[in-house]
């Protein structure tokens, strides 16, 4: 594929050709919540379901063999996309399940022979950040509640960066879990620095890569983390499929999360033994067509080129930031600089507030104009409290987004200001 991100790719995404709200062109800027799927992904799922659908890892007939081959082939493709080994990739329902898998596994370590070194107890610490979305916060809260460990967190500065001086890791820090790219602020966190701090005290590092893997070139083993999770539906793939990657030695030591069929080695009435990873963590019949679709999404993004995807989104992000800066009474929540150095440290998510208008009301005006964004706290309630806002409007782009989409967003925000009788003049017009 030699086509560049943007207008050349729009035709691959059928949903983008429809109209909404009485004939308005659909302007989809809610890719941070879920991305749209290209025909190549839809075709791959349909081809599997119409030719090879069967349960994997069971049955000796041809369809079962083909389905198993498709599923394991998908795992290998997904692993290669993030620089990993196939046997280190666990396919989950979504990223939230992946984080829960790790948290529950650590919670069960104390009673699992050979995993005691992973167990947490009173006096131990789990450290997160104030910019986590709930999926990378609540499971750790629950792990601490079950084990007696203490939850601590890095704070966030007023400009939406991680406050690296707000927490000092200690030898009691057992887990450091943080988001790679914030789903609200767009901030890209300093992985190398945080990994070094965790290594100095022997803590496990868990990375939430939901907003980085779909938008940037990411080599998970090279980052030095121990575990990482991401979701298929945010990277042009299907819903119902996610990835939990972990280093092989950690997967070998971790107790299983769910138990039952497909994850066992032997079973007697007295007890069971577990299959090697990753099957140990994939109880029951897995999501085969979704895995095939996710692999097709990886192939699609690889063909475009992740460097090109990242550059395209940086260009659109600069256009959004500059356009919002020109609107009096609009404030970006998070890093707002649009220079090259600024953009290198943020993703394509831009959250903002319009003075005098609730985010939900802004969203309604935008929706009436055909512009789909997300409004609310974006599953990051503590972060919104820290930033002093109840809710924000969030625009998020992907490989199919265009400059015309950004212009439509900016025009709709200005229209919302006019509708509610707040600032209507751009900064440049006095």
């Amino acid at each position: 594929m030699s086509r560049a991100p943007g207008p050349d790719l729009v035709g691959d995404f059928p949903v983008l050709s429809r109209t909404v709200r009485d004939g308005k062109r659909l302007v989809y800027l809610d890719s941070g919540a879920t991305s749209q799927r290209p025909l190549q992904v839809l075709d791959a799922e349909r081809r599997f379901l119409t030719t090879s659908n069967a349960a994997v890892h069971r049955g000796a007939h041809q369809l079962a063999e083909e389905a198993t081959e498709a599923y394991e082939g998908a795992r290998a493709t997904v692993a290669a996309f993030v620089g990993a080994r196939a046997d280190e990739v666990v396919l989950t329902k979504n990223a939230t399940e992946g984080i829960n898998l790790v948290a529950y596994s650590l919670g069960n370590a104390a009673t699992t022979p050979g995993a005691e070194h992973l167990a947490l107890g009173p006096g131990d610490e789990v450290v997160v950040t104030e910019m986590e979305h709930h999926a990378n916060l609540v499971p750790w809260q629950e792990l601490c509640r079950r084990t007696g460990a203490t939850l601590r967190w890095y704070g966030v500065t007023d400009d939406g960066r991680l406050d690296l001086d707000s927490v000092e890791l200690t030898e009691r820090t057992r887990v450091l879990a943080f988001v790679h790219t914030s789903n609200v602020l767009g901030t890209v966190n300093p992985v190398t620095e945080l990994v070094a701090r965790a290594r100095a005290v022997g803590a496990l590092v868990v990375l939430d890569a939901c907003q980085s893997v779909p938008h940037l070139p990411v080599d998970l083993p090279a980052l030095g983390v121990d575990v990482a999770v991401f979701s298929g539906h945010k990277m042009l793939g299907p819903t119902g499929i996610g990835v939990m990657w972990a280093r092989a030695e950690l997967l070998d030591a971790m107790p299983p999360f769910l138990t039952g069929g497909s994850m066992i080695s032997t079973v007697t009435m007295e007890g069971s033994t577990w299959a090697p990873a990753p099957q140990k963590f994939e109880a029951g019949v897995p999501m085969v067509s979704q895995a095939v679709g996710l692999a097709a999404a990886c192939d699609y993004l690889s063909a475009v080129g992740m460097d090109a995807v990242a550059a395209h989104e940086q260009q659109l992000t600069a256009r959004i930031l500059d356009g919002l800066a020109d609107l009096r009474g609009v404030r970006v929540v998070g890093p707002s600089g649009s220079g090259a150095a600024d953009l290198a440290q943020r993703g394509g998510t831009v959250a903002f507030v319009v003075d005098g208008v609730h985010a939900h009301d802004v969203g309604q005006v935008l929706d009436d104009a055909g512009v789909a964004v997300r409004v609310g706290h974006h599953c990051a309630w503590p972060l919104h409290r820290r930033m002093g806002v109840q809710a924000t409007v969030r625009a998020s782009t992907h490989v199919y987004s265009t400059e015309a989409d950004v212009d439509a967003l900016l025009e709709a925000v200005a229209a919302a200001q006019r509708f509610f009788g707040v600032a209507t003049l751009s900064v440049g017009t006095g």
Side-chain angles (χ1 to χ4, degrees), residues 4 18 67 74-75 78 85 97-98 108-109 125 150 154 191 253 260 270 300 305 309 338 351 355 392 401:
R18 65 162 293 178
R75 189 197 308 277
V78 173
R85 289 167 34 185
E97 184 178 271
N108 291 334
E125 298 173 347
T150 300
Y154 281 100
V191 178
E270 290 76 25
Y300 186 91
V309 172
S338 60
D355 290 344
T392 56
S401 303

Side-chain angles (χ1 to χ4, degrees), residues 231-255:
S231 285
H233 72 99
K234 296 181 189 296
M235 52 184 292
L236 317 184
T239 54
I241 185 78
V243 173
M244 192 279 287
W245 167 85
R247 296 189 182 280
E249 58 272 23
L250 181 59
L251 287 176
D252 289 342
M254 286 168 53

Side-chain angles (χ1 to χ4, degrees), residues 17-18 39 52 98 100 123 142 152 172 202 236 249 265 275 287 294 309 315 330 336 373 390 417 420 424 430:
S17 65
R18 65 162 293 178
L39 286 166
S52 304
N100 274 278
E142 286 299 291
R152 302 172 68 208
R172 301 311 302 264
L236 317 184
E249 58 272 23
S265 177
M287 306 72 69
L294 177 57
V309 172
Q315 181 180 354
V330 176
S336 58
V373 295
Q390 187 177 22
Q417 290 184 300
F420 288 101
T424 57

Side-chain angles (χ1 to χ4, degrees), residues 1-5 9 81 296-306 308-309:
M1 181 185 295
S2 59
R3 297 175 298 162
L9 303 185
F81 187 73
C298 291
D299 287 340
Y300 186 91
L301 287 168
S302 295
V304 176
M306 290 308 294
V309 172

Side-chain angles (χ1 to χ4, degrees), residues 109-405:
T111 58
T112 302
E116 295 89 346
H117 63 290
L118 298 175
L120 281 74
D124 290 332
E125 298 173 347
V126 175
V127 175
V128 295
T129 82
E130 205 172 15
M131 66 173 71
E132 302 307 319
H133 66 155
H134 301 159
N136 200 32
L137 173 59
V138 178
W140 302 116
Q141 291 175 335
E142 286 299 291
L143 175 63
C144 290
R145 182 185 62 78
R146 294 196 304 273
T147 63
T150 300
L151 185 74
R152 302 172 68 208
W153 54 89
Y154 281 100
V156 175
T157 64
D158 290 342
D159 62 352
R161 299 290 183 187
L162 207 58
D163 183 354
L164 293 172
D165 296 327
S166 57
V167 166
E168 183 176 350
L169 304 187
T170 73
E171 293 185 353
R172 301 311 302 264
T173 304
R174 304 299 307 282
V175 179
L176 172 60
F178 61 95
V179 65
H180 193 178
T181 302
S182 168
N183 71 316
V184 177
L185 307 170
T187 303
V188 176
N189 282 317
V191 178
T192 301
E193 170 64 23
L194 291 168
V195 167
R197 292 185 180 203
R199 290 285 171 263
V201 299
L204 286 176
V205 181
V206 179
L207 184 73
D208 173 0
C210 287
Q211 299 292 343
S212 59
V213 165
H215 305 282
L216 308 165
V218 176
D219 185 319
L220 292 175
L223 289 177
V225 302
D226 297 297
V227 181
V229 300
F230 54 96
S231 285
H233 72 99
K234 296 181 189 296
M235 52 184 292
L236 317 184
T239 54
I241 185 78
V243 173
M244 192 279 287
W245 167 85
R247 296 189 182 280
E249 58 272 23
L250 181 59
L251 287 176
D252 289 342
M254 286 168 53
F257 171 40
L258 301 174
T259 56
S262 298
M263 52 75 67
I264 45 81
S265 177
T266 63
V267 178
T268 67
M269 289 308 295
E270 290 76 25
S272 304
T273 60
W274 315 134
Q279 277 74 28
K280 180 170 67 171
F281 300 101
E282 296 180 358
V285 175
M287 306 72 69
V288 188
S289 65
Q290 291 93 328
V292 170
L294 177 57
C298 291
D299 287 340
Y300 186 91
L301 287 168
S302 295
V304 176
M306 290 308 294
D307 286 324
V309 172
H312 173 68
E313 294 191 35
Q314 282 192 358
Q315 181 180 354
L316 295 182
T317 302
R319 195 177 183 94
I320 295 173
L321 292 171
D322 289 342
L324 293 178
D326 282 341
L327 295 175
R328 187 187 303 279
V330 176
R331 177 168 60 90
V332 171
V333 179
S336 58
S338 60
D342 299 306
L343 294 172
Q345 299 180 56
R346 78 175 333 282
T349 295
V350 179
F352 60 94
V353 294
V354 177
D355 290 344
V357 188
H358 193 280
H360 286 185
D361 293 327
V362 176
Q364 184 171 353
V365 174
L366 267 57
D367 182 44
D368 286 342
V371 180
V373 295
R374 185 169 176 181
V375 295
H377 53 65
H378 321 309
C379 296
W381 221 333
L383 176 60
H384 276 70
R385 290 195 186 97
R386 165 61 185 90
M387 302 307 289
V389 293
Q390 187 177 22
T392 56
V393 181
R394 186 185 72 178
S396 49
T397 59
H398 216 308
V399 66
Y400 42 72
S401 303
T402 66
E403 291 184 353
D405 292 341

